[in-house]
mmCIF file of all heavy atoms in Angstrom:
data_model
loop_
_atom_site.group_PDB
_atom_site.id
_atom_site.type_symbol
_atom_site.label_atom_id
_atom_site.label_comp_id
_atom_site.label_asym_id
_atom_site.label_seq_id
_atom_site.Cartn_x
_atom_site.Cartn_y
_atom_site.Cartn_z
ATOM 1 N N MET A 256 -33.436 78.904 234.140
ATOM 2 C CA MET A 256 -34.619 78.604 234.945
ATOM 3 C C MET A 256 -35.410 77.465 234.319
ATOM 4 O O MET A 256 -35.606 77.413 233.101
ATOM 5 C CB MET A 256 -35.528 79.833 235.052
ATOM 6 C CG MET A 256 -36.799 79.565 235.862
ATOM 7 S SD MET A 256 -37.971 80.942 235.834
ATOM 8 C CE MET A 256 -38.584 80.860 234.153
ATOM 9 N N ILE A 257 -35.851 76.542 235.167
ATOM 10 C CA ILE A 257 -36.758 75.480 234.747
ATOM 11 C C ILE A 257 -38.078 75.688 235.490
ATOM 12 O O ILE A 257 -38.143 75.482 236.710
ATOM 13 C CB ILE A 257 -36.170 74.092 235.058
ATOM 14 C CG1 ILE A 257 -34.870 73.875 234.273
ATOM 15 C CG2 ILE A 257 -37.176 72.994 234.727
ATOM 16 C CD1 ILE A 257 -34.161 72.569 234.595
ATOM 17 N N TYR A 258 -39.092 76.116 234.771
ATOM 18 C CA TYR A 258 -40.355 76.482 235.421
ATOM 19 C C TYR A 258 -41.289 75.276 235.489
ATOM 20 O O TYR A 258 -41.749 74.751 234.460
ATOM 21 C CB TYR A 258 -41.023 77.621 234.661
ATOM 22 C CG TYR A 258 -42.215 78.208 235.384
ATOM 23 C CD1 TYR A 258 -42.040 79.035 236.487
ATOM 24 C CD2 TYR A 258 -43.516 77.932 234.967
ATOM 25 C CE1 TYR A 258 -43.120 79.567 237.167
ATOM 26 C CE2 TYR A 258 -44.604 78.467 235.635
ATOM 27 C CZ TYR A 258 -44.407 79.280 236.735
ATOM 28 O OH TYR A 258 -45.486 79.814 237.396
ATOM 29 N N LEU A 259 -41.589 74.833 236.705
ATOM 30 C CA LEU A 259 -42.472 73.693 236.930
ATOM 31 C C LEU A 259 -43.556 74.055 237.942
ATOM 32 O O LEU A 259 -43.860 73.283 238.853
ATOM 33 C CB LEU A 259 -41.660 72.490 237.424
ATOM 34 C CG LEU A 259 -40.629 71.923 236.439
ATOM 35 C CD1 LEU A 259 -39.792 70.829 237.112
ATOM 36 C CD2 LEU A 259 -41.323 71.371 235.193
ATOM 37 N N TRP A 539 -43.364 62.086 233.612
ATOM 38 C CA TRP A 539 -42.829 62.577 234.883
ATOM 39 C C TRP A 539 -43.062 61.562 236.000
ATOM 40 O O TRP A 539 -42.168 61.319 236.822
ATOM 41 C CB TRP A 539 -43.466 63.915 235.237
ATOM 42 C CG TRP A 539 -42.851 65.074 234.534
ATOM 43 C CD1 TRP A 539 -43.257 65.656 233.373
ATOM 44 C CD2 TRP A 539 -41.682 65.801 234.941
ATOM 45 N NE1 TRP A 539 -42.436 66.696 233.023
ATOM 46 C CE2 TRP A 539 -41.451 66.815 233.970
ATOM 47 C CE3 TRP A 539 -40.814 65.709 236.029
ATOM 48 C CZ2 TRP A 539 -40.398 67.708 234.067
ATOM 49 C CZ3 TRP A 539 -39.763 66.612 236.137
ATOM 50 C CH2 TRP A 539 -39.554 67.589 235.160
ATOM 51 N N LEU A 576 -36.510 70.969 250.019
ATOM 52 C CA LEU A 576 -36.253 70.333 248.726
ATOM 53 C C LEU A 576 -36.454 71.330 247.585
ATOM 54 O O LEU A 576 -35.663 71.367 246.635
ATOM 55 C CB LEU A 576 -37.178 69.126 248.536
ATOM 56 C CG LEU A 576 -36.864 67.898 249.385
ATOM 57 C CD1 LEU A 576 -37.927 66.819 249.159
ATOM 58 C CD2 LEU A 576 -35.479 67.354 249.052
ATOM 59 N N ALA A 577 -37.512 72.129 247.687
ATOM 60 C CA ALA A 577 -37.772 73.127 246.645
ATOM 61 C C ALA A 577 -36.634 74.133 246.560
ATOM 62 O O ALA A 577 -36.188 74.507 245.469
ATOM 63 C CB ALA A 577 -39.098 73.842 246.917
ATOM 64 N N ALA A 578 -36.145 74.570 247.725
ATOM 65 C CA ALA A 578 -35.048 75.535 247.749
ATOM 66 C C ALA A 578 -33.769 74.936 247.169
ATOM 67 O O ALA A 578 -33.024 75.599 246.430
ATOM 68 C CB ALA A 578 -34.806 76.014 249.176
ATOM 69 N N GLU A 579 -33.512 73.671 247.468
ATOM 70 C CA GLU A 579 -32.305 73.023 246.967
ATOM 71 C C GLU A 579 -32.376 72.812 245.463
ATOM 72 O O GLU A 579 -31.376 72.983 244.742
ATOM 73 C CB GLU A 579 -32.094 71.688 247.681
ATOM 74 C CG GLU A 579 -31.643 71.835 249.128
ATOM 75 C CD GLU A 579 -31.221 70.498 249.724
ATOM 76 O OE1 GLU A 579 -30.660 69.667 248.995
ATOM 77 O OE2 GLU A 579 -31.470 70.298 250.922
ATOM 78 N N LEU A 580 -33.537 72.432 244.953
ATOM 79 C CA LEU A 580 -33.688 72.245 243.507
ATOM 80 C C LEU A 580 -33.487 73.566 242.771
ATOM 81 O O LEU A 580 -32.890 73.601 241.688
ATOM 82 C CB LEU A 580 -35.075 71.681 243.191
ATOM 83 C CG LEU A 580 -35.279 70.188 243.425
ATOM 84 C CD1 LEU A 580 -36.742 69.808 243.190
ATOM 85 C CD2 LEU A 580 -34.376 69.359 242.515
ATOM 86 N N ASP A 581 -33.965 74.626 243.361
ATOM 87 C CA ASP A 581 -33.779 75.950 242.754
ATOM 88 C C ASP A 581 -32.299 76.317 242.751
ATOM 89 O O ASP A 581 -31.756 76.808 241.751
ATOM 90 C CB ASP A 581 -34.599 76.981 243.522
ATOM 91 C CG ASP A 581 -34.687 78.323 242.794
ATOM 92 O OD1 ASP A 581 -34.307 78.388 241.604
ATOM 93 O OD2 ASP A 581 -35.130 79.301 243.410
ATOM 94 N N ALA A 582 -31.643 76.065 243.869
ATOM 95 C CA ALA A 582 -30.228 76.420 243.982
ATOM 96 C C ALA A 582 -29.344 75.572 243.061
ATOM 97 O O ALA A 582 -28.383 76.068 242.470
ATOM 98 C CB ALA A 582 -29.766 76.258 245.434
ATOM 99 N N ARG A 583 -29.671 74.299 242.917
ATOM 100 C CA ARG A 583 -28.845 73.394 242.121
ATOM 101 C C ARG A 583 -29.066 73.550 240.622
ATOM 102 O O ARG A 583 -28.113 73.506 239.836
ATOM 103 C CB ARG A 583 -29.133 71.938 242.517
ATOM 104 C CG ARG A 583 -28.609 71.520 243.871
ATOM 105 C CD ARG A 583 -29.090 70.120 244.210
ATOM 106 N NE ARG A 583 -28.645 69.691 245.529
ATOM 107 C CZ ARG A 583 -27.534 68.990 245.765
ATOM 108 N NH1 ARG A 583 -26.766 68.637 244.745
ATOM 109 N NH2 ARG A 583 -27.207 68.634 246.984
ATOM 110 N N LEU A 584 -30.347 73.709 240.222
ATOM 111 C CA LEU A 584 -30.641 73.638 238.794
ATOM 112 C C LEU A 584 -31.570 74.756 238.311
ATOM 113 O O LEU A 584 -31.930 74.791 237.144
ATOM 114 C CB LEU A 584 -31.278 72.266 238.488
ATOM 115 C CG LEU A 584 -31.271 71.769 237.059
ATOM 116 C CD1 LEU A 584 -29.851 71.613 236.549
ATOM 117 C CD2 LEU A 584 -32.028 70.449 236.943
ATOM 118 N N GLY A 585 -31.961 75.655 239.216
ATOM 119 C CA GLY A 585 -32.875 76.714 238.817
ATOM 120 C C GLY A 585 -34.291 76.221 238.618
ATOM 121 O O GLY A 585 -35.059 76.798 237.839
ATOM 122 N N VAL A 586 -34.665 75.145 239.335
ATOM 123 C CA VAL A 586 -36.017 74.583 239.230
ATOM 124 C C VAL A 586 -36.971 75.380 240.107
ATOM 125 O O VAL A 586 -36.704 75.597 241.293
ATOM 126 C CB VAL A 586 -36.041 73.099 239.658
ATOM 127 C CG1 VAL A 586 -37.467 72.563 239.628
ATOM 128 C CG2 VAL A 586 -35.142 72.275 238.749
ATOM 129 N N ARG A 587 -38.064 75.797 239.528
ATOM 130 C CA ARG A 587 -39.083 76.519 240.285
ATOM 131 C C ARG A 587 -40.338 75.664 240.371
ATOM 132 O O ARG A 587 -41.039 75.453 239.382
ATOM 133 C CB ARG A 587 -39.396 77.863 239.632
ATOM 134 C CG ARG A 587 -38.193 78.805 239.621
ATOM 135 C CD ARG A 587 -38.546 80.179 239.091
ATOM 136 N NE ARG A 587 -37.367 81.042 239.068
ATOM 137 C CZ ARG A 587 -37.375 82.303 238.674
ATOM 138 N NH1 ARG A 587 -38.520 82.869 238.273
ATOM 139 N NH2 ARG A 587 -36.271 83.015 238.683
ATOM 140 N N CYS A 588 -40.600 75.157 241.574
ATOM 141 C CA CYS A 588 -41.803 74.358 241.802
ATOM 142 C C CYS A 588 -42.377 74.713 243.169
ATOM 143 O O CYS A 588 -41.715 75.340 243.991
ATOM 144 C CB CYS A 588 -41.517 72.866 241.686
ATOM 145 S SG CYS A 588 -40.175 72.271 242.745
ATOM 146 N N ARG A 589 -43.601 74.310 243.405
ATOM 147 C CA ARG A 589 -44.322 74.720 244.611
ATOM 148 C C ARG A 589 -44.165 73.691 245.721
ATOM 149 O O ARG A 589 -44.325 72.482 245.499
ATOM 150 C CB ARG A 589 -45.816 74.884 244.264
ATOM 151 C CG ARG A 589 -46.718 75.276 245.436
ATOM 152 C CD ARG A 589 -46.677 76.748 245.729
ATOM 153 N NE ARG A 589 -47.550 77.101 246.832
ATOM 154 C CZ ARG A 589 -48.829 77.427 246.710
ATOM 155 N NH1 ARG A 589 -49.397 77.435 245.510
ATOM 156 N NH2 ARG A 589 -49.553 77.740 247.764
ATOM 157 N N LEU A 611 -43.956 68.391 247.620
ATOM 158 C CA LEU A 611 -43.232 69.123 246.591
ATOM 159 C C LEU A 611 -44.008 68.888 245.301
ATOM 160 O O LEU A 611 -44.148 67.743 244.869
ATOM 161 C CB LEU A 611 -41.809 68.595 246.467
ATOM 162 C CG LEU A 611 -40.913 69.264 245.426
ATOM 163 C CD1 LEU A 611 -40.530 70.661 245.883
ATOM 164 C CD2 LEU A 611 -39.665 68.413 245.191
ATOM 165 N N ARG A 612 -44.541 69.939 244.709
ATOM 166 C CA ARG A 612 -45.434 69.773 243.551
ATOM 167 C C ARG A 612 -44.697 70.088 242.245
ATOM 168 O O ARG A 612 -44.174 71.185 242.067
ATOM 169 C CB ARG A 612 -46.651 70.680 243.693
ATOM 170 C CG ARG A 612 -47.694 70.472 242.597
ATOM 171 C CD ARG A 612 -48.870 71.407 242.780
ATOM 172 N NE ARG A 612 -48.510 72.807 242.521
ATOM 173 C CZ ARG A 612 -49.323 73.846 242.709
ATOM 174 N NH1 ARG A 612 -50.534 73.634 243.191
ATOM 175 N NH2 ARG A 612 -48.918 75.073 242.456
ATOM 176 N N ILE A 613 -44.699 69.111 241.361
ATOM 177 C CA ILE A 613 -44.141 69.287 240.028
ATOM 178 C C ILE A 613 -45.307 69.529 239.076
ATOM 179 O O ILE A 613 -46.191 68.692 238.947
ATOM 180 C CB ILE A 613 -43.359 68.034 239.580
ATOM 181 C CG1 ILE A 613 -42.237 67.701 240.573
ATOM 182 C CG2 ILE A 613 -42.805 68.224 238.171
ATOM 183 C CD1 ILE A 613 -41.164 68.740 240.674
ATOM 184 N N ILE A 623 -35.772 67.846 230.075
ATOM 185 C CA ILE A 623 -35.366 68.297 231.409
ATOM 186 C C ILE A 623 -35.747 67.294 232.499
ATOM 187 O O ILE A 623 -35.330 67.446 233.650
ATOM 188 C CB ILE A 623 -35.977 69.670 231.759
ATOM 189 C CG1 ILE A 623 -37.498 69.545 232.002
ATOM 190 C CG2 ILE A 623 -35.666 70.699 230.687
ATOM 191 C CD1 ILE A 623 -38.098 70.754 232.644
ATOM 192 N N PRO A 626 -32.527 65.539 234.050
ATOM 193 C CA PRO A 626 -31.727 66.426 234.912
ATOM 194 C C PRO A 626 -32.433 66.796 236.209
ATOM 195 O O PRO A 626 -31.788 66.866 237.271
ATOM 196 C CB PRO A 626 -31.498 67.655 234.029
ATOM 197 C CG PRO A 626 -31.620 67.165 232.638
ATOM 198 C CD PRO A 626 -32.650 66.084 232.683
ATOM 199 N N VAL A 627 -33.734 67.036 236.149
ATOM 200 C CA VAL A 627 -34.476 67.381 237.363
ATOM 201 C C VAL A 627 -34.485 66.201 238.327
ATOM 202 O O VAL A 627 -34.268 66.364 239.543
ATOM 203 C CB VAL A 627 -35.914 67.824 237.028
ATOM 204 C CG1 VAL A 627 -36.754 67.953 238.301
ATOM 205 C CG2 VAL A 627 -35.906 69.153 236.284
ATOM 206 N N CYS A 628 -34.716 65.000 237.806
ATOM 207 C CA CYS A 628 -34.729 63.813 238.664
ATOM 208 C C CYS A 628 -33.352 63.564 239.275
ATOM 209 O O CYS A 628 -33.231 63.187 240.451
ATOM 210 C CB CYS A 628 -35.191 62.598 237.869
ATOM 211 S SG CYS A 628 -36.961 62.611 237.456
ATOM 212 N N ALA A 630 -31.114 65.859 239.914
ATOM 213 C CA ALA A 630 -30.909 66.885 240.939
ATOM 214 C C ALA A 630 -31.669 66.536 242.208
ATOM 215 O O ALA A 630 -31.160 66.747 243.324
ATOM 216 C CB ALA A 630 -31.358 68.247 240.408
#
Side-chain angles (χ1 to χ4, degrees):
M256 179 187 72
I257 297 176
Y258 189 75
L259 296 174
W539 279 94
L576 288 176
E579 288 190 35
L580 282 175
D581 192 12
R583 288 174 182 267
L584 199 61
V586 176
R587 297 185 181 181
C588 54
R589 178 81 179 271
L611 180 72
R612 186 181 69 185
I613 303 296
I623 71 167
V627 170
C628 288

